[in-house]
Amino acid sequence: GCTQKYIVKNYFYYYLFKFSAALGEEIFYITFLPFTYWNIDHSVSRRMIVVWSIVMYIGQVSKDILKWPRPLSPPVVKLELRANAEYGMPSTHAMAATAISFSFFIATTNQYKYPFELGLVAALVFSTLVCLSRLYTGMHTVLDVIGGALISAVLLVLLYPAWDAIDHLLLTSPFCPLLSIVVPLVLCYNYPKLDYYSPTRGDTTTILGAAAGATVGFWLNNQYAAPAYASKSLQPGFPMITSTMLFVLARFCVGILVVLLTRWLMKSAVLGVLGYRYKFPIRDLAARRRLEVEVPYKFVTYSSVGFTATVIVPLLHELLGLL
């Protein structure tokens, strides 16, 4: 398809909601979640990643089971093309924004001293902006957004009592690495089938792959590197001196470069192997959408990204004296 022609009458709203929409996409996940792990607190990051992966899987599967269409265009103008091939209900942007913002708020309010009202308002503002962006960009109805936010809230309430137990199992169970790989792979290969191609299966594989790699990294760090600990580098309530900010920035820049390099290398390598195995050129988009190609390609690529972010990058930070 092609985008509709439109005139932007209010550039403030346009750029605000285009930016807010990006807060529910890969560019945000691949920066904010690792940033939290490298600079704030390992336990907070672990809880966010677990909640995010569970919430997103349920949201993506729900879309392809319910099969509710997106808003008709016209009358709405759709500012995004890629997601238009997906169904609408529930809004996974709304689910992700609610899950990430409130799991971060709940996890940090138990660890750090800061005004409760400030954290609550920040979580509400973040999730609300992302939800409104889905209406502004014409990708969801009000019901899609409300449904996504409510489902995410219910899942948070159900998961919260088990947070500590899940975290303990992820760090100590000898079966954690095996289950972290096998269970997501089984879920990806048995994803609901559709009559036409939708990016939901690929996106779900990306999310579960990243979470699987990160989970294996959590377990390895606890078993063989250092026990789970809270990072001392960014403690709310203490003055943020220039040297601390430089360390935070350096850790992030080094880490994100390594993560992006890992993604590029693994993507090229895995596609090359699969292309040789199934006899298709790497740039063949139709071949890359096949189940036997898409799932291993995305799962291996992003599990490598998750593993690199939680194991390789912290080792590199230590080697460079950035801890």
Side-chain angles (χ1 to χ4, degrees):
C2 58
T3 54
Q4 295 172 273
K5 292 182 179 180
Y6 57 87
I7 298 173
V8 179
K9 295 183 177 180
N10 189 314
Y11 280 95
F12 174 75
Y13 287 147
Y14 179 77
Y15 287 113
L16 172 65
F17 291 125
K18 289 284 282 185
F19 173 77
S20 300
L23 298 179
E25 297 173 357
E26 182 185 355
I27 186 65
F28 176 74
Y29 304 144
I30 210 169
T31 52
F32 179 71
L33 294 176
F35 178 88
T36 305
Y37 190 78
W38 300 330
N39 290 302
I40 299 181
D41 191 288
H42 285 192
S43 64
V44 171
S45 181
R46 289 196 305 270
R47 285 162 169 77
M48 289 174 63
I49 289 172
V50 169
V51 170
W52 167 67
S53 59
I54 293 173
V55 165
M56 288 299 289
Y57 175 76
I58 291 174
Q60 296 284 73
V61 169
S62 298
K63 278 185 178 184
D64 290 338
I65 291 176
L66 293 174
K67 298 183 179 180
W68 287 19
R70 289 186 181 270
L72 294 176
S73 177
V76 304
V77 176
K78 293 184 178 178
L79 304 185
E80 299 174 10
L81 277 181
R82 181 182 179 277
N84 196 37
E86 300 177 8
Y87 289 108
M89 176 68 174
S91 167
T92 46
H93 271 72
M95 292 183 72
T98 304
I100 288 176
S101 58
F102 281 93
S103 60
F104 181 80
F105 166 57
I106 294 168
T108 55
T109 196
N110 292 331
Q111 302 249 11
Y112 302 111
K113 292 182 179 179
Y114 64 85
F116 177 87
E117 296 78 8
L118 177 63
L120 180 61
V121 168
L124 284 171
V125 168
F126 179 91
S127 55
T128 300
L129 281 175
V130 175
C131 289
L132 290 176
S133 75
R134 308 317 290 156
L135 303 179
Y136 183 88
T137 55
M139 302 312 297
H140 284 286
T141 65
V142 174
L143 185 59
D144 294 343
V145 169
I146 293 175
L150 286 178
I151 292 171
S152 197
V154 170
L155 289 172
L156 272 173
V157 170
L158 294 176
L159 288 170
Y160 178 71
W163 268 16
D164 292 337
I166 294 172
D167 194 49
H168 179 73
L169 286 174
L170 291 181
L171 295 177
T172 61
S173 173
F175 302 106
C176 174
L178 178 63
L179 292 176
S180 296
I181 299 297
V182 171
V183 172
L185 269 177
V186 169
L187 293 175
C188 292
Y189 274 107
N190 290 277
Y191 192 82
K193 293 179 175 60
L194 298 176
D195 296 331
Y196 64 93
Y197 178 79
S198 168
T200 48
R201 185 183 65 204
D203 291 345
T204 304
T205 306
T206 295
I207 292 164
L208 294 185
T215 302
V216 173
F218 299 151
W219 185 85
L220 278 176
N221 285 338
N222 189 65
Q223 298 294 318
Y224 301 107
Y229 65 92
S231 172
K232 303 295 184 185
S233 29
L234 186 60
Q235 294 284 355
F238 291 89
M240 298 297 293
I241 58 176
T242 304
S243 59
T244 302
M245 293 300 296
L246 289 175
F247 270 96
V248 168
L249 182 60
R251 278 194 293 269
F252 177 73
C253 290
V254 169
I256 208 65
L257 284 174
V258 174
V259 164
L260 293 176
L261 179 62
T262 299
R263 184 178 67 164
W264 177 73
L265 288 174
M266 292 306 299
K267 179 179 178 180
S268 302
V270 176
L271 276 177
V273 171
L274 291 171
Y276 177 79
R277 168 67 178 81
Y278 294 106
K279 311 300 182 187
F280 68 87
I282 290 179
R283 297 188 181 277
D284 187 343
L285 185 60
R288 286 163 55 174
R289 289 174 169 178
R290 287 154 43 188
L291 174 67
E292 65 271 21
V293 174
E294 185 177 57
V295 170
Y297 142 54
K298 293 207 167 183
F299 192 87
V300 173
T301 298
Y302 285 91
S303 60
S304 301
V305 166
F307 183 83
T308 298
T310 53
V311 176
I312 306 301
V313 170
L315 289 176
L316 185 59
H317 285 164
E318 185 176 5
L319 183 65
L320 295 175
L322 296 176
L323 293 180

